[in-house]
Amino acid sequence: AQSVTQLGSHVSVSEGALVLLRCNYSSSVPPYLFWYVQYPNQGLQLLLKYTSAATLVKGINGFEAEFKKSETSFHLTKPSAHMSDAAEYFCAVSEGGGADGLTFGKGTHLIIQP
Amino acid sequence: GAGVSQTPSNKVTEKGKYVELRCDPISGHTALYWYRQSLGQGPEFLIYFQGTGAADDSGLPNDRFFAVRPEGSVSTLKIQRTERGDSAVYLCASSLTGTPTDTQYFGPGTRLTVL
């Protein structure tokens, strides 16, 4: 069975600092991995996804993530945080092959300090 | 174009009552998903439709939960004999083809409160 662990329910960074949100997965087959963002009172929005092409994936709003099979990780980064990045971030995994829905982590709340 | 829409945005009901939650997917999307998000948790998969048929309902918690998609577009999630533990935000998503790499587009959710 697939699972996702997001380390840190809350992460606080200063505006302009590096953002690093951690995601580790467990999967019995090569996974497909996703990062979604949820702004207050809005629906989930896809940031980026890994679908077995390039291991370094670039997404919207300056975010990127690197798939590391040896570490079973898919951490999300952004070089310089902006106040508008404050939101809830979810990592998700899909195995395919009959496991049709996404399995989400519990989420990380990103706080940006001025 | 229009995204995924869900109605109502909020639903308050009493324990034991029946509720229906509606999802309008993006036009042309063949795949539709329902998830449930409890406070402080990530979304939890409930059911997946490919066209009119429920291809995977393994996430439905019990037989009080049922969903339909009779014409392959709009879907309704039905909850019988609601319990306080059913209180959550119910999310609907759609994707173009339903393949595992396809992007799922989420609606804003229906917040269900069972008193």
Side-chain angles (χ1 to χ4, degrees), chain B residues 22-58:
Chain B
R22 177 188 168 107
C23 172
D24 278 90
I26 294 173
S27 178
H29 280 194
T30 64
L32 186 146
Y33 307 78
W34 283 99
Y35 293 84
R36 177 169 69 173
Q37 186 175 17
S38 300
L39 195 63
Q41 302 293 318
E44 176 189 19
F45 169 74
L46 296 177
I47 187 170
Y48 157 61
F49 286 90
Q50 181 58 255
T52 60
D56 182 358
D57 64 358
S58 61

Side-chain angles (χ1 to χ4, degrees), chain A residues 48-59 63-68 74-77:
Chain A
L48 49 80
K49 62 181 178 180
Y50 167 75
T51 58
S52 74
T55 57
L56 181 62
V57 182
K58 294 187 183 299
F63 284 94
E64 63 181 38
E66 186 172 7
F67 172 68
K68 292 187 176 180
F74 190 57
H75 301 331
L76 182 71
T77 61

